[in-house]
Amino acid sequence: GNSVTQMEGPVTLSEEAFLTINCTYTATGYPSLFWYVQYPGEGLQLLLKATKADDKGSNKGFEATYRKETTSFHLEKGSVQVSDSAVYFCALSEGSGGYQKVTFGIGTKLQVIP
Amino acid sequence: NAGVMQNPRHLVRRRGQEARLRCSPMKGHSHVYWYRQLPEEGLKFMVYLQKENIIDESGMPKERFSAEFPKEGPSILRIQQVVRGDSAAYFCASSFPNSIYGYTFGSGTRLTVV
């Protein structure tokens, strides 16, 4: 079945540091890939997405590139801020049983310190 | 232009009571998904519903849990005879029929069983 593997957290960075959160996936076909963000006490918000190989999703300074050859969708940001502290979920969506089913990774907690 | 509305935000139940969690999907969305998030764990799929139909309930515990999405009104996740292990955050998401573009999540209901 489909699965998403992302790096264990927590990740602690100083403000303005470079961020990478690794994500790899296993899927039988050609999934769409997503990053969601969850701020404390809130639900998940879609951060960015990519629907086909070599697509780059970007939003709020974050970006991720759909790499089919390495089955990866790593999240990056050049300069993190304290307000980026949250849990980040990698996810994939693929047709299964007649509908697009979304599978989530375990989540990576990011803590940015001033 | 309300998003996905979940209520209540917080719910406290004694062991053996029933818990009812409600979810109103985003306007125009006809598909509803329920996920459970245990402390320090990722999101676990529970059930996928369309109006008046359960499409995939492969993640639902076999006993005590049920879900519905009636023709009129919100989707309901019902937990009978709650136990301490049911304490978790329950998230509802909705989408258009083709979720290739991702889900919209509600803010969740945090259930505490005492």
Side-chain angles (χ1 to χ4, degrees):
Chain A
N2 296 341
S3 66
V4 176
T5 302
Q6 57 183 112
M7 58 192 291
E8 296 276 342
V11 174
T12 302
L13 294 174
S14 297
E15 208 165 19
E16 298 184 3
F18 184 87
L19 168 71
T20 300
I21 301 178
N22 291 336
C23 171
T24 57
Y25 66 90
T26 302
T28 52
Y30 303 96
S32 295
L33 301 174
F34 308 88
W35 278 99
Y36 284 83
V37 58
Q38 183 181 30
Y39 297 103
E42 297 184 13
L44 277 71
Q45 302 173 27
L46 180 63
L47 180 61
L48 54 84
K49 65 180 184 292
T51 57
K52 62 183 188 297
D54 300 324
D55 267 2
K56 177 185 281 188
S58 61
N59 186 23
K60 300 181 181 179
F62 291 90
E63 58 182 36
T65 302
Y66 189 143
R67 301 284 187 204
K68 188 169 181 294
E69 63 277 11
T70 54
T71 61
S72 65
F73 193 55
H74 304 322
L75 182 68
E76 296 181 335
K77 186 174 185 183
S79 176
V80 293
Q81 306 300 313
V82 172
S83 57
D84 294 327
S85 298
V87 180
Y88 292 82
F89 291 89
C90 186
L92 71 81
S93 170
E94 188 176 40
S96 171
Y99 73 98
Q100 296 281 338
K101 188 170 182 178
V102 178
T103 302
F104 289 88
I106 196 169
T108 302
K109 185 174 183 178
L110 170 66
Q111 196 168 16
V112 180
I113 53 178
Chain B
N1 188 21
V4 178
M5 304 300 293
Q6 287 189 251
N7 64 80
R9 287 293 302 270
H10 300 276
L11 181 62
V12 179
R13 284 288 178 265
R14 295 186 184 280
R15 280 179 294 172
Q17 290 185 318
E18 177 179 286
R20 280 186 177 240
L21 288 62
R22 287 176 288 277
C23 169
S24 296
M26 195 164 171
K27 188 175 182 180
H29 286 183
S30 56
H31 293 215
V32 166
Y33 314 83
W34 285 94
Y35 284 80
R36 177 164 63 175
Q37 185 178 36
L38 292 166
E40 306 303 321
E41 292 189 20
L43 284 163
K44 300 296 183 187
F45 168 79
M46 298 183 76
V47 62
Y48 159 48
L49 308 108
Q50 297 177 23
K51 284 283 187 183
E52 300 184 280
N53 281 308
I54 297 174
I55 306 302
D56 182 350
E57 55 182 348
S58 57
M60 287 278 272
K62 291 289 184 285
E63 297 176 350
R64 303 187 297 108
F65 284 73
S66 62
E68 62 176 10
F69 188 17
K71 188 176 179 182
E72 301 290 338
S75 175
I76 306 288
L77 179 67
R78 183 180 175 209
I79 311 171
Q80 295 178 290
Q81 299 174 332
V82 295
V83 300
R84 288 238 171 93
D86 297 333
S87 296
Y90 292 83
F91 290 97
C92 170
S94 70
S95 76
F96 292 110
N98 183 353
S99 66
I100 188 173
Y101 299 110
Y103 297 167
T104 300
F105 277 84
S107 297
T109 294
R110 280 150 185 84
L111 172 65
T112 302
V113 179
V114 297

